[in-house]
Amino acid sequence: MGDIYDNVMELAKRRGFVWPSSECYGAVAGFIDYGPLGAMLKRKIENIWRDFYIIREGYYEIEAPTVGVESIYVASGHVKGFADKMFQCPSCREYHRADHIAEEHGTTNADTLSPKALAEIINGLPCPSCGEIIENADVFYFNLMFQTTIGPGSQRTGYLRPETAQGIFTDFNRLSRFYREKLPFGAVQIGKSYRNEISPRQGMIRLREFTQAEAEIFIHPEHKDHPDFSRYADYTIPLWGQTQQMQDIKPITVSMREAVDSGLVANEYVAYYIALTHEFLTQVGVNGDKLRFRQHLPTECAHYALDCWDAEIFSERFGWVEAVGIADRTDYDLKAHATGSGDSFTVFIPYDTVHHENRRTIVPDMGALGPHYRGKAKAVADALKESAPGPDGATVTVDGDELFIPPDLYKIREETVEVRGEEVMPHVVEPSYGIDRIIYCTLEHAYEEEDVEGEVRKVLHLNPAVAPVQAAVFPLMNRDGLDTIAQALSASIQKHGILAQYDDNGAIGRRYRRQDEIGTPYTITVDYDSREDDTVTLRERDSMQQVRLPISLVPETLSRLIEGTLPFSEAGSKI
Ligand code: GAP
């Protein structure tokens, strides 16, 4: 078997999973089309994700525009800081990411280095495009957002969203009302995000338009215990914490309970979504032996984040690929949008019992302030309300001037007030999934070539729940009524919501190969016995075993096989 990436992509292109986008005009790097089978596979993976997050967790899905006004991305920090470090090769004029070239030549964590430090490393290395030695190249920042203008002749700047998350943050106050202002609550979004990657050379791994599935879970900053933590408390997986990475030792296998209790993972919320992510990824077909969870090193973790973990999937071509990021982002995003928009971005949390507080209010005497301060009286009054007067008076600053206000120009009211609760700015826990990376890794892990009687059998061992075509029906011959029985059977399978392909073209062995290649888990053959005894042969893709069962039982049996509630050995009588 040659390079697995080349083999997987050859199959993916030939059979209609993934195509270069706008190929007839010369495809542009970083954009892909999902063909008929790829689009189906993608939808199924996304729908399993929805089962986890919407149906099970109860976080509803929203759909915000992919174009956002500039103020969103100024507030979020993307306009200023969402940039990669690049250089232009002085010989061939191609642009490249400086940290990637440095890492390819042995520098670790090159993305944390300054442009100056990177320039020192890359000068003297060969350019990956032309092979010439890079000399006197500067490294500079390049913002990854695609900029646009909104409306004709408009000066209003917009950006294609670089992540789906901001659409959820900007809807925070509406979401809070939707959930009746009760923490915790969450919202999810699946959709396209855009990053003008500098030189995407990694197929489906680094795209300029890609699909993210993100959940933003808003929690009380002081209550980070997940209400359903018991579901995953005993879930045990390898975690590669900062300490193990820095000591160069292997990930440690611990339960989520141990991970939180030992301080390896910051809190139950983060541990819960690490475990859920592991369950989701293995369910859609990622090989559990090629999956690890790696904590961000202090140099990688955003300064505001409390804890960050990446789900990394091993690809034979690309090494460990970050497919999901799980982070406790504290109140960074909500605070940023509160400052940017002037809205409050808080939730009113009632206390269990009413509190009583002594409150001191300063009440300016406008009748007395007016003659003293004339046009400035209102500003002085506002400043007084915020001041802390001493026994002789209050000092305030108005328009840059410091003023001393004697006590006869205001009153101090002391009162005991009832306080029923407090305004709280929630913290955000964010699991963020890259769907295209998950799809590529699923295809790579599912791909196998084997020698069957001197012929290469290419198989995609896709999980039946995500396989684009779930069953195929073959009449042994395209005549003698076998075709009519097979067509009727296809129709009754389809009525059960199962996508079944009818195929009467070519030798039966070839038809099996065609279905194996696209990952169809079950095939049914109608033969001459079917006319006599109303039974058919059902074949399982992975074991290639066959059983015989009555035609009338096929749709129900397939449903149970696909949902995993029936072992194949019990699907019929062994042949
Ligand atoms: N809201 C957080 C966020 O966007 P991120 O780590 O930048 O975090 C999340 O992105 C996930 O999106 C990544 O783990 C990765 O799977 C996917 N992703 C990011 N950039 C990508 C790209 N250029 N092409 C394909 N997938 C990408």
Side-chain angles (χ1 to χ4, degrees):
M1 197 162 100
D3 183 297
I4 190 157
Y5 172 80
D6 293 338
N7 294 340
V8 169
M9 291 317 285
E10 184 280 323
L11 186 153
K13 281 184 205 159
R14 184 166 46 79
R15 297 307 310 272
F17 282 90
V18 180
W19 294 320
S21 196
S22 58
E23 213 174 357
C24 58
Y25 289 107
V28 180
F31 296 94
I32 54 166
D33 288 356
Y34 283 97
L37 297 183
M40 188 75 80
L41 171 67
K42 180 166 183 275
R43 217 60 73 219
K44 288 190 172 177
I45 291 180
E46 288 169 358
N47 284 340
I48 293 178
W49 192 90
R50 288 188 169 96
D51 285 346
F52 272 82
Y53 278 93
I54 305 174
I55 300 191
R56 220 175 69 179
E57 298 296 296
Y59 304 144
Y60 287 78
E61 183 173 6
I62 67 159
E63 196 173 311
T66 53
V67 176
V69 292
E70 185 170 37
S71 21
I72 300 174
Y73 298 106
V74 170
S76 68
H78 285 90
V79 168
K80 205 166 158 209
F82 195 58
D84 279 339
K85 285 154 249 174
M86 74 171 183
F87 69 91
Q88 187 177 28
C89 170
S91 306
C92 67
R93 318 303 295 166
E94 279 287 324
Y95 290 99
H96 294 285
R97 257 182 81 162
D99 54 327
H100 283 180
I101 308 299
E103 281 191 358
E104 280 161 23
H105 288 84
T107 307
T108 46
N109 295 320
D111 56 337
T112 61
L113 299 178
S114 68
K116 193 163 169 271
L118 278 170
E120 277 166 24
I121 295 171
I122 57 132
N123 280 300
L125 295 176
C127 165
S129 296
C130 67
E132 291 294 315
I133 296 298
I134 303 159
E135 273 177 307
N136 299 322
D138 284 333
V139 173
F140 48 93
Y141 283 104
F142 173 73
N143 193 298
L144 297 185
M145 282 198 296
F146 284 96
Q147 201 184 55
T148 184
T149 47
I150 300 172
S154 157
Q155 295 308 305
R156 197 153 193 208
T157 302
Y159 291 96
L160 296 192
R161 66 182 179 196
E163 57 176 7
T164 62
Q166 297 303 326
I168 300 179
F169 297 139
T170 50
D171 277 350
F172 171 80
N173 282 311
R174 293 211 177 263
L175 283 165
S176 173
R177 282 194 286 279
F178 174 84
Y179 286 103
R180 296 167 200 240
E181 306 216 19
K182 279 205 175 69
L183 292 175
F185 66 81
V188 306
Q189 193 163 196
I190 300 185
K192 295 287 191 182
S193 293
Y194 302 83
R195 298 183 188 176
N196 202 0
E197 297 285 351
I198 291 164
S199 61
R201 291 178 289 143
Q202 294 168 295
M204 293 172 72
I205 301 299
R206 194 163 299 280
L207 295 167
R208 288 174 166 144
E209 177 183 302
F210 55 99
T211 297
Q212 286 188 315
E214 297 196 292
E216 307 302 326
I217 302 146
F218 301 102
I219 63 176
H220 195 293
E222 280 147 32
H223 304 155
K224 295 199 173 177
D225 289 347
H226 194 290
D228 290 326
F229 189 66
S230 57
R231 173 179 284 149
Y232 289 121
D234 297 326
Y235 200 96
T236 300
I237 47 175
L239 299 180
W240 206 25
Q242 290 178 352
T243 319
Q244 292 85 43
Q245 291 171 61
M246 289 190 288
Q247 292 173 357
D248 209 8
I249 51 177
K250 284 195 177 134
I252 48 169
T253 301
V254 283
S255 72
M256 293 303 104
R257 174 84 279 154
E258 289 164 322
V260 175
D261 288 351
S262 65
L264 175 59
V265 175
N267 55 56
E268 285 188 3
Y269 265 95
V270 175
Y272 183 96
Y273 290 105
I274 288 176
L276 183 151
T277 298
H278 185 276
E279 192 188 359
F280 165 77
L281 290 174
T282 48
Q283 192 165 316
V284 299
V286 170
N287 179 343
D289 296 334
K290 296 180 178 179
L291 173 59
R292 72 179 185 194
F293 285 81
R294 189 181 71 79
Q295 191 174 32
H296 281 202
L297 292 168
T299 43
E300 295 170 85
C301 206
H303 64 92
Y304 49 81
L306 252 175
D307 197 11
C308 299
W309 288 79
D310 285 343
E312 296 182 330
I313 307 176
F314 187 74
S315 149
E316 278 181 37
R317 172 65 166 264
F318 301 112
W320 288 99
V321 173
E322 176 207 327
V324 185
I326 300 156
D328 179 337
R329 300 175 59 90
T330 66
D331 58 5
Y332 173 81
D333 308 278
L334 296 185
K335 212 181 242 169
H337 287 298
T339 310
S341 68
D343 280 355
S344 73
F345 288 78
T346 54
V347 177
F348 182 78
I349 306 288
Y351 295 134
D352 293 338
T353 52
V354 174
H355 293 191
H356 290 95
E357 270 178 19
N358 292 331
R359 202 166 275 174
R360 193 174 188 227
T361 324
I362 297 147
V363 188
D365 181 346
M366 290 309 286
L369 283 174
H372 269 81
Y373 298 105
R374 299 182 182 278
K376 280 190 178 175
K378 165 93 176 52
V380 172
D382 289 343
L384 258 177
K385 286 181 197 163
E386 303 300 321
S387 69
D392 305 328
T395 306
V396 297
T397 306
V398 174
D399 296 341
D401 297 331
E402 199 170 88
L403 307 173
F404 181 76
I405 318 289
D408 53 327
L409 299 188
Y410 58 86
K411 286 197 172 54
I412 294 179
R413 191 185 296 148
E414 305 269 0
E415 56 189 342
T416 303
V417 290
E418 282 190 351
V419 184
R420 299 188 171 271
E422 61 181 337
E423 293 291 337
V424 169
M425 187 171 279
H427 280 195
V428 173
V429 172
E430 177 194 68
S432 169
Y433 295 63
I435 295 293
D436 312 86
R437 290 183 180 181
I438 294 169
I439 291 175
Y440 172 72
C441 294
T442 303
L443 288 172
E444 191 187 294
H445 292 185
Y447 184 85
E448 193 190 23
E449 283 182 14
E450 54 181 9
D451 189 49
V452 178
E453 293 159 9
E455 246 192 82
V456 179
R457 176 181 179 242
K458 294 183 178 177
V459 195
L460 278 185
H461 294 283
L462 292 174
N463 178 338
V466 302
V469 177
Q470 291 157 313
V473 184
F474 307 151
L476 186 64
M477 292 292 169
N478 190 8
R479 57 171 190 262
D480 303 330
L482 304 187
D483 46 350
T484 322
I485 300 173
Q487 276 160 356
L489 178 57
S490 297
S492 69
I493 295 171
Q494 284 153 6
K495 275 197 194 128
H496 272 66
I498 296 168
L499 181 63
Q501 254 184 17
Y502 173 85
D503 186 2
D504 60 8
N505 195 349
I508 205 89
R510 291 238 161 272
R511 288 185 249 169
Y512 280 138
R513 297 289 167 269
R514 279 204 289 271
Q515 295 298 333
D516 287 344
E517 258 195 349
I518 63 168
T520 308
Y522 303 106
T523 38
I524 300 122
T525 307
V526 175
D527 55 23
Y528 283 97
D529 288 342
S530 310
R531 291 196 312 186
E532 310 302 323
D533 60 6
D534 286 330
T535 64
V536 286
T537 299
L538 175 66
R539 171 189 179 264
E540 187 185 40
R541 175 199 65 207
D542 292 347
S543 63
M544 289 197 280
Q545 282 182 356
Q546 301 189 345
V547 292
R548 197 84 187 166
L549 77 165
I551 293 179
S552 59
L553 294 184
V554 169
E556 179 62 27
T557 305
L558 280 176
S559 293
R560 293 181 57 207
L561 286 169
I562 291 163
E563 64 189 35
T565 53
L566 179 74
F568 188 73
S569 55
E570 292 170 24
S573 43
K574 218 169 168 188
I575 298 179

